[in-house]
Amino acid sequence: QLQLVESGGGLVQPGKSLRLSCAASGFSLRSYAVGWFRQAPGKEQEMVSCINMRDIGTKYADSVKGRFTISRDDAQNKVYLQMNRLNPEDTAVYYCAAQPAYYGGSYYSEEYDYWGQGTQVTVSS
């Protein structure tokens, strides 16, 4: 069974950090670009960050640039999202998704084939 599982979400105070993990099972992430998306209540889903295979390239939404870092460990079959200086606007359900590498890591959710179930991140004092 092919699946992605996110972990690492939770409740955190503004200014603090969290690291999200995305673990793949049933397939290897080596040949996939991986993206992190988020959706807050009442808002559209947005791409947060994506990383191409073999760390060829990364992309970030303007809202997280300089605060979030995406990385991958193909040996562990995982992708991570380090989130620093969190603020209440970062509160959302965060999803990881995988797409064939030829997309190069894209902003468009419809170009991703596999999705995790999501992990809640809440930033509040």
Side-chain angles (χ1 to χ4, degrees):
Q1 184 178 2
L2 308 180
Q3 63 177 356
L4 296 171
V5 178
E6 303 94 337
S7 61
L11 172 64
V12 65
Q13 292 180 331
K16 300 297 186 181
S17 300
L18 279 176
R19 189 176 82 153
L20 304 183
S21 298
C22 172
S25 61
F27 70 107
S28 172
L29 285 176
R30 291 182 186 273
S31 299
Y32 289 82
V34 178
W36 284 97
F37 291 77
R38 68 185 180 186
Q39 188 161 22
K43 294 187 177 180
E44 292 188 355
Q45 187 184 67
E46 66 169 332
M47 195 282 289
V48 175
S49 181
C50 57
I51 186 167
N52 203 350
M53 61 184 292
R54 297 196 303 270
D55 290 328
I56 291 175
T58 58
K59 298 175 183 176
Y60 296 93
D62 288 342
S63 58
V64 307
K65 207 170 288 183
R67 299 188 298 122
F68 290 12
T69 303
I70 191 170
S71 62
R72 62 189 301 155
D73 183 342
D74 288 338
Q76 295 293 322
N77 217 21
K78 290 183 177 179
V79 172
Y80 303 98
L81 185 68
Q82 177 67 43
M83 306 186 296
N84 298 330
R85 303 198 310 275
L86 286 160
N87 59 61
E89 290 69 40
D90 296 316
T91 295
V93 178
Y94 284 71
Y95 301 88
C96 67
Q99 65 176 191
Y102 57 75
Y103 281 105
S106 71
Y107 292 94
Y108 306 107
S109 60
E110 59 268 25
E111 293 177 349
Y112 288 80
D113 291 340
Y114 305 114
W115 289 82
Q117 83 290 347
T119 186
Q120 176 70 47
V121 172
T122 302
V123 185
S124 175
S125 55

